[in-house]
Amino acid sequence: IPERFLKAAHEPHGARAVVYCLVLHGSESTRQQQLELLMGAAADGVYQELQSLLAGRELVEPEFRLPLASIAISSLRQLSENQYVLFKQNFNELILIDRKVSLLEWSLQKIIFHHLDQVFKHSALRPFGKKSIKTCSDSIAILFSLLAQASEQKGITEQQAFGKGVESLELKLEMREAGSMGFDDFNRALDELALLKPLQKPALLKACLACISADGQLAPIESELLRAVAATVDCPVPPIRL
């Protein structure tokens, strides 16, 4: 991780700038709109910090996005409640500025705000779920379809990757085509899976890992999606061995 980004992620002003930087768009015109938004809306000093990071933005390799976000989350816990509300509002506006949400943006949104909402919204602990894996088969089909098609599979088909996850849970499910699903579907699926019985959640995450590692590799976006699922269902990520 570039030293400049690592240092910034360890303090609240820099952490906000780092997160904003991670979701800046690849298109120059869209990125300029995002920067104009932040110039007028970001808290004092944060936009200036972001400007100092821009030159090194391309040096942050995809596999370091999650570690950077994790460091930033710890620093963001130090924000005041008002600062947090503004940060969250800016983040949500940034990712919607092009009227599309990418898998990376969705994953970071799930990971970052799952952890921080618990701090700033003083959310009550979620009651123990009572659902079983077999009663959530539709949601699992949607989730595994997303995971299997999130990144190019090496040497196997998307259907085979999907099958690895399904096989792990001893289910019979049909893969959904990517074009037939949207983020509302993903969110509803995860909301239902968050209500699984506690002892069934590790099995779900192990099946997710089986799906994304079926080709013997783990792409950065697959790791980010796995972390997003784990955060949403409140269950630790299983050990990853390829």
Side-chain angles (χ1 to χ4, degrees):
I1 300 175
E3 183 65 28
R4 184 74 190 85
F5 279 79
L6 198 57
K7 183 178 178 182
H10 277 95
E11 58 88 22
H13 269 82
R16 281 174 282 181
V18 164
V19 172
Y20 291 153
C21 197
L22 288 176
V23 294
L24 287 180
H25 205 275
S27 158
E28 186 175 345
S29 61
T30 303
R31 186 166 65 252
Q32 190 56 44
Q33 291 179 58
Q34 291 174 312
L35 291 172
E36 288 172 4
L37 167 72
L38 291 174
M39 184 167 58
D44 291 344
V46 175
Y47 180 76
Q48 290 74 12
E49 185 74 29
L50 175 60
Q51 286 291 319
S52 73
L53 296 175
L54 287 179
R57 180 170 167 267
E58 301 301 327
L59 299 177
V60 179
E61 299 290 342
E63 59 265 34
F64 296 129
R65 294 185 303 223
L66 262 182
L68 260 180
S70 298
I71 296 167
I73 287 169
S74 296
S75 303
L76 292 167
R77 293 173 186 269
Q78 301 173 47
L79 297 178
S80 70
E81 196 158 339
N82 287 339
Q83 287 173 328
Y84 176 65
V85 169
L86 178 61
F87 165 68
K88 185 173 183 178
Q89 177 181 317
N90 286 341
F91 180 96
N92 290 333
E93 289 186 16
L94 279 181
I95 66 174
L96 291 174
I97 211 161
D98 62 347
R99 296 182 176 84
K100 292 183 288 186
V101 178
S102 71
L103 285 178
L104 168 63
E105 292 167 340
W106 182 76
S107 300
L108 287 177
Q109 186 181 50
K110 288 287 184 187
I111 294 165
I112 292 170
F113 297 114
H114 169 80
H115 290 291
L116 295 179
D117 279 351
Q118 291 181 343
V119 175
F120 291 98
K121 292 191 172 181
H122 313 292
S123 305
L125 290 175
R126 182 180 283 153
F128 280 168
K130 297 181 180 179
K131 288 182 176 284
S132 70
I133 281 174
K134 289 186 177 179
T135 62
C136 295
S137 57
D138 284 347
S139 292
I140 291 171
I142 289 170
L143 174 59
F144 288 177
S145 298
L146 166 65
L147 296 176
Q149 298 174 78
S151 180
E152 182 182 354
Q153 300 295 335
K154 307 293 184 183
I156 64 171
T157 66
E158 294 169 347
Q159 184 68 56
Q160 287 173 312
F162 176 86
K164 283 290 185 182
V166 171
E167 178 186 320
S168 177
L169 295 178
E170 299 181 351
L171 295 173
K172 291 184 178 179
L173 302 173
E174 293 293 326
M175 189 174 80
R176 314 288 178 86
E177 292 299 322
S180 70
M181 304 180 296
F183 286 108
D184 286 343
D185 299 304
F186 305 153
N187 288 329
R188 280 194 295 271
L190 286 182
D191 285 344
E192 180 176 41
L193 294 170
L195 299 176
L196 283 171
K197 296 173 184 176
L199 294 180
Q200 298 211 342
K201 291 179 180 181
L204 173 70
L205 288 183
K206 286 179 183 176
C208 289
L209 182 56
C211 179
I212 62 177
S213 63
D215 63 352
Q217 301 183 53
L218 207 58
I221 189 60
E222 292 174 326
S223 297
E224 288 152 357
L225 286 168
L226 180 64
R227 297 278 178 183
V229 174
T232 307
V233 303
D234 278 322
C235 184
V237 174
I240 297 174
R241 301 184 184 92
L242 297 179

